[in-house]
Amino acid sequence: AQKITQTQPGMFVQEKEAVTLDCTYDTSDQSYGLFWYKQPSSGEMIFLIYQGSYDEQNATEGRYSLNFQKARKSANLVISASQLGDSAMYFCAMREGGARQLTFGSGTQLTVLP
Amino acid sequence: EADIYQTPRYLVIGTGKKITLECSQTMGHDKMYWYQQDPGMELHLIHYSYGVNSTEKGDLSSESTVSRIRTEHFPLTLESARPSHTSQYLCASSGDRGPYNEQFFGPGTRLTVL
Protein backbone atom coordinates (compact mmCIF):
# COMPACT_ATOMS: atom_id res chain seq x y z
CA ALA A 1 0.00 0.00 0.00
CA GLN A 2 1.14 3.53 -0.75
CA LYS A 3 2.38 5.28 2.36
CA ILE A 4 1.90 8.74 0.89
CA THR A 5 -0.84 9.48 -1.63
CA GLN A 6 -1.16 12.70 -3.60
CA THR A 7 -4.22 12.36 -5.82
CA GLN A 8 -3.82 15.58 -7.80
CA PRO A 9 -1.19 15.21 -10.54
CA GLY A 10 -1.78 18.80 -11.61
CA MET A 11 -3.52 21.88 -10.22
CA PHE A 12 -4.17 25.36 -11.58
CA VAL A 13 -4.83 28.45 -9.48
CA GLN A 14 -5.31 32.09 -10.28
CA GLU A 15 -2.72 34.48 -8.94
CA LYS A 16 -3.62 35.87 -5.47
CA GLU A 17 -6.08 33.06 -4.78
CA ALA A 18 -5.62 30.27 -2.23
CA VAL A 19 -5.05 26.66 -3.22
CA THR A 20 -5.12 23.36 -1.32
CA LEU A 21 -2.87 20.44 -2.27
CA ASP A 22 -4.03 17.10 -0.94
CA CYS A 23 -1.97 14.50 0.88
CA THR A 24 -3.06 11.37 2.70
CA TYR A 25 -0.76 8.99 4.50
CA ASP A 26 -0.73 5.51 5.91
CA THR A 27 1.19 4.46 9.00
CA SER A 28 0.69 2.35 12.10
CA ASP A 29 3.27 4.37 14.06
CA GLN A 30 2.01 6.78 16.72
CA SER A 31 5.02 9.04 16.25
CA TYR A 32 5.65 10.41 12.79
CA GLY A 33 6.37 13.64 10.97
CA LEU A 34 4.91 15.07 7.80
CA PHE A 35 6.80 17.38 5.47
CA TRP A 36 6.04 19.40 2.38
CA TYR A 37 8.73 20.23 -0.14
CA LYS A 38 8.64 22.43 -3.24
CA GLN A 39 10.59 21.50 -6.36
CA PRO A 40 10.90 24.23 -9.02
CA SER A 41 11.82 23.35 -12.56
CA SER A 42 15.49 23.88 -11.66
CA GLY A 43 15.30 20.63 -9.69
CA GLU A 44 16.27 21.46 -6.12
CA MET A 45 14.00 20.47 -3.23
CA ILE A 46 12.98 23.27 -0.88
CA PHE A 47 11.60 22.47 2.57
CA LEU A 48 8.34 24.33 3.25
CA ILE A 49 6.60 23.12 6.39
CA TYR A 50 6.51 20.36 9.00
CA GLN A 51 3.78 18.80 11.15
CA GLY A 52 4.49 16.38 13.97
CA SER A 53 1.94 13.71 14.83
CA TYR A 54 1.66 15.00 18.39
CA ASP A 55 1.31 18.65 17.41
CA GLU A 56 -2.16 19.81 18.31
CA GLN A 57 -2.02 22.99 16.28
CA ASN A 58 -1.79 23.11 12.52
CA ALA A 59 1.63 24.23 11.34
CA THR A 60 1.99 27.58 9.60
CA GLU A 61 4.95 29.18 7.82
CA GLY A 62 4.17 32.50 6.18
CA ARG A 63 1.76 31.84 3.29
CA TYR A 64 1.92 28.09 3.87
CA SER A 65 -0.27 26.25 6.32
CA LEU A 66 -0.85 22.57 6.88
CA ASN A 67 -4.40 21.33 7.43
CA PHE A 68 -3.69 18.31 9.63
CA GLN A 69 -6.57 15.91 10.20
CA LYS A 70 -5.10 13.03 12.16
CA ALA A 71 -8.18 10.80 12.24
CA ARG A 72 -8.50 11.03 8.48
CA LYS A 73 -4.74 10.70 8.03
CA SER A 74 -4.55 13.75 5.85
CA ALA A 75 -2.04 16.58 5.76
CA ASN A 76 -3.11 19.04 3.10
CA LEU A 77 -0.96 22.03 2.19
CA VAL A 78 -2.73 25.36 1.85
CA ILE A 79 -1.01 28.18 -0.01
CA SER A 80 -2.66 31.54 0.49
CA ALA A 81 -2.39 34.44 -1.95
CA SER A 82 -0.68 32.43 -4.70
CA GLN A 83 2.20 34.03 -6.56
CA LEU A 84 3.60 33.23 -10.00
CA GLY A 85 6.75 31.97 -8.30
CA ASP A 86 4.72 29.30 -6.54
CA SER A 87 4.47 27.37 -9.81
CA ALA A 88 6.38 24.17 -9.09
CA MET A 89 6.04 20.52 -8.14
CA TYR A 90 4.99 19.97 -4.53
CA PHE A 91 5.81 16.79 -2.63
CA CYS A 92 4.34 15.49 0.60
CA ALA A 93 6.65 13.24 2.64
CA MET A 94 6.54 11.26 5.88
CA ARG A 95 9.12 10.17 8.41
CA GLU A 96 7.94 7.29 10.61
CA GLY A 97 8.96 6.63 14.19
CA GLY A 98 12.66 7.02 14.85
CA ALA A 99 13.60 6.63 11.21
CA ARG A 100 15.55 9.34 9.47
CA GLN A 101 14.36 8.30 6.02
CA LEU A 102 11.58 10.10 4.21
CA THR A 103 8.91 8.48 2.05
CA PHE A 104 7.66 10.77 -0.70
CA GLY A 105 4.37 11.00 -2.54
CA SER A 106 4.15 11.27 -6.31
CA GLY A 107 3.80 15.03 -6.25
CA THR A 108 1.38 17.68 -7.50
CA GLN A 109 2.36 20.08 -10.29
CA LEU A 110 0.97 23.50 -9.39
CA THR A 111 0.61 26.18 -12.04
CA VAL A 112 -0.25 29.72 -11.00
CA LEU A 113 -2.01 31.67 -13.74
CA PRO A 114 -1.60 35.44 -14.12
CA GLU B 1 22.95 30.06 0.45
CA ALA B 2 23.47 26.41 -0.36
CA ASP B 3 25.27 24.28 2.21
CA ILE B 4 25.01 21.06 0.23
CA TYR B 5 26.68 20.80 -3.13
CA GLN B 6 26.43 18.39 -6.01
CA THR B 7 28.63 18.15 -9.06
CA PRO B 8 28.20 17.91 -11.92
CA ARG B 9 24.76 19.50 -12.36
CA TYR B 10 24.36 17.90 -15.76
CA LEU B 11 26.15 14.90 -17.22
CA VAL B 12 25.73 13.26 -20.61
CA ILE B 13 27.80 10.13 -21.01
CA GLY B 14 28.05 7.02 -23.16
CA THR B 15 27.09 3.49 -22.18
CA GLY B 16 29.72 1.56 -20.26
CA LYS B 17 31.50 4.53 -18.73
CA LYS B 18 32.28 4.73 -15.03
CA ILE B 19 30.89 7.82 -13.34
CA THR B 20 31.02 9.36 -9.90
CA LEU B 21 28.48 11.88 -8.71
CA GLU B 22 29.84 14.12 -5.99
CA CYS B 23 27.95 15.35 -2.93
CA SER B 24 29.37 17.48 -0.15
CA GLN B 25 27.79 19.29 2.78
CA THR B 26 29.22 21.87 5.15
CA MET B 27 26.65 21.53 7.93
CA GLY B 28 28.39 18.75 9.83
CA HIS B 29 25.40 16.47 9.38
CA ASP B 30 25.89 12.81 10.23
CA LYS B 31 23.08 11.57 8.03
CA MET B 32 23.23 11.71 4.26
CA TYR B 33 21.00 10.29 1.53
CA TRP B 34 20.84 9.66 -2.19
CA TYR B 35 17.51 9.75 -4.02
CA GLN B 36 16.71 8.89 -7.62
CA GLN B 37 13.95 10.79 -9.36
CA ASP B 38 12.60 10.28 -12.87
CA PRO B 39 11.10 13.42 -14.49
CA GLY B 40 7.83 14.42 -12.85
CA MET B 41 7.89 11.44 -10.52
CA GLU B 42 8.42 10.83 -6.82
CA LEU B 43 11.79 10.50 -5.15
CA HIS B 44 13.06 7.04 -4.29
CA LEU B 45 15.73 6.47 -1.66
CA ILE B 46 18.63 4.43 -3.07
CA HIS B 47 21.35 4.85 -0.41
CA TYR B 48 21.77 6.37 3.01
CA SER B 49 24.46 6.80 5.61
CA TYR B 50 24.22 7.51 9.30
CA GLY B 51 27.87 8.39 9.67
CA VAL B 52 31.42 7.71 8.56
CA ASN B 53 31.91 4.13 7.31
CA SER B 54 28.15 3.50 7.55
CA THR B 55 26.15 2.95 4.35
CA GLU B 56 22.88 1.17 3.68
CA LYS B 57 20.79 0.47 0.60
CA GLY B 58 17.48 2.24 0.31
CA ASP B 59 14.05 1.05 -0.75
CA LEU B 60 14.79 1.22 -4.48
CA SER B 61 17.33 -1.25 -5.75
CA SER B 62 20.20 0.45 -7.51
CA GLU B 63 23.36 -0.73 -9.26
CA SER B 64 25.20 2.26 -7.87
CA THR B 65 27.50 2.18 -4.85
CA VAL B 66 28.37 4.80 -2.26
CA SER B 67 31.12 5.48 0.24
CA ARG B 68 31.37 7.64 3.36
CA ILE B 69 34.98 8.12 4.31
CA ARG B 70 34.51 11.70 5.54
CA THR B 71 31.49 13.22 7.25
CA GLU B 72 31.07 15.92 4.63
CA HIS B 73 31.46 13.76 1.52
CA PHE B 74 29.07 11.11 0.13
CA PRO B 75 29.90 10.21 -3.48
CA LEU B 76 27.83 7.85 -5.64
CA THR B 77 29.49 5.67 -8.27
CA LEU B 78 28.17 3.76 -11.27
CA GLU B 79 30.80 1.30 -12.54
CA SER B 80 29.20 0.89 -15.96
CA ALA B 81 26.53 3.39 -16.94
CA ARG B 82 23.52 2.24 -18.95
CA PRO B 83 20.58 4.12 -20.53
CA SER B 84 18.34 2.79 -17.72
CA HIS B 85 20.41 4.88 -15.29
CA THR B 86 19.21 8.09 -16.94
CA SER B 87 17.53 10.05 -14.17
CA GLN B 88 18.00 12.88 -11.69
CA TYR B 89 20.02 12.08 -8.59
CA LEU B 90 19.43 14.17 -5.49
CA CYS B 91 21.69 14.18 -2.45
CA ALA B 92 20.39 15.24 0.97
CA SER B 93 21.57 15.51 4.55
CA SER B 94 19.94 15.93 7.94
CA GLY B 95 21.09 16.68 11.43
CA ASP B 96 20.56 19.05 14.31
CA ARG B 97 20.56 22.27 12.31
CA GLY B 98 16.87 22.30 11.43
CA PRO B 99 14.23 22.27 14.20
CA TYR B 100 12.52 19.30 12.64
CA ASN B 101 15.58 17.37 11.52
CA GLU B 102 14.39 18.10 8.02
CA GLN B 103 16.47 16.98 5.10
CA PHE B 104 18.36 19.62 3.16
CA PHE B 105 18.76 18.84 -0.51
CA GLY B 106 21.44 19.62 -3.02
CA PRO B 107 20.61 20.98 -6.48
CA GLY B 108 20.70 17.53 -8.07
CA THR B 109 22.59 15.92 -10.94
CA ARG B 110 20.72 15.23 -14.15
CA LEU B 111 22.31 12.18 -15.72
CA THR B 112 21.74 11.11 -19.30
CA VAL B 113 23.30 7.90 -20.54
CA LEU B 114 23.30 7.49 -24.30
Side-chain angles (χ1 to χ4, degrees):
Chain A
Q2 292 282 349
K3 290 200 170 184
I4 297 285
T5 302
Q6 294 181 254
T7 57
Q8 306 153 315
M11 288 280 286
F12 292 88
V13 65
Q14 209 69 39
E15 193 178 8
K16 298 180 186 176
E17 291 186 353
V19 63
T20 298
L21 307 184
D22 295 341
C23 173
T24 57
Y25 59 92
D26 182 29
T27 181
S28 56
D29 285 354
Q30 296 301 308
S31 175
Y32 52 89
L34 297 156
F35 300 78
W36 277 93
Y37 281 85
K38 172 184 178 181
Q39 187 178 42
S41 57
S42 51
E44 73 272 28
M45 296 283 284
I46 303 167
F47 166 72
L48 296 178
I49 197 167
Y50 169 83
Q51 180 84 41
S53 57
Y54 294 119
D55 295 339
E56 295 184 354
Q57 304 248 353
N58 285 344
T60 60
E61 289 285 348
R63 293 186 299 111
Y64 304 107
S65 61
L66 203 152
N67 184 1
F68 182 47
Q69 298 185 48
K70 194 170 181 176
R72 296 181 58 189
K73 294 189 174 179
S74 75
N76 299 339
L77 177 71
V78 181
I79 306 175
S80 63
S82 298
Q83 301 171 357
L84 295 178
D86 293 335
S87 293
M89 194 77 158
Y90 288 80
F91 289 95
C92 180
M94 178 172 64
R95 182 177 65 215
E96 293 178 273
R100 287 294 180 263
Q101 303 171 59
L102 292 179
T103 302
F104 285 84
S106 55
T108 295
Q109 179 68 48
L110 177 67
T111 302
V112 180
L113 303 171
Chain B
E1 187 176 334
D3 295 313
I4 182 163
Y5 307 92
Q6 289 186 245
T7 57
R9 289 295 311 276
Y10 303 90
L11 180 61
V12 181
I13 202 162
T15 296
K17 300 291 186 183
K18 177 180 179 179
I19 59 170
T20 296
L21 308 185
E22 300 288 349
C23 176
S24 295
Q25 50 95 5
T26 59
M27 295 174 280
H29 286 167
D30 287 331
K31 302 167 188 67
M32 296 188 74
Y33 315 84
W34 276 103
Y35 292 89
Q36 184 176 342
Q37 182 188 28
D38 291 333
M41 304 294 286
E42 65 261 50
L43 282 71
H44 292 285
L45 183 70
I46 52 174
H47 298 283
Y48 62 97
S49 169
Y50 284 175
V52 171
N53 294 325
S54 154
T55 61
E56 299 286 343
K57 289 190 176 293
D59 299 329
L60 182 68
S61 175
S62 173
E63 294 167 342
S64 58
T65 59
V66 293
S67 63
R68 189 88 182 275
I69 298 172
R70 303 196 316 264
T71 297
E72 63 271 22
H73 194 215
F74 191 40
L76 180 146
T77 299
L78 276 165
E79 289 292 332
S80 179
R82 296 207 300 270
S84 61
H85 296 138
T86 295
S87 191
Q88 170 158 259
Y89 293 84
L90 287 156
C91 181
S93 71
S94 66
D96 297 331
R97 172 170 161 162
Y100 313 117
N101 291 323
E102 67 266 31
Q103 292 185 13
F104 294 86
F105 282 81
T109 294
R110 296 194 190 211
L111 173 66
T112 302
V113 183
L114 304 174

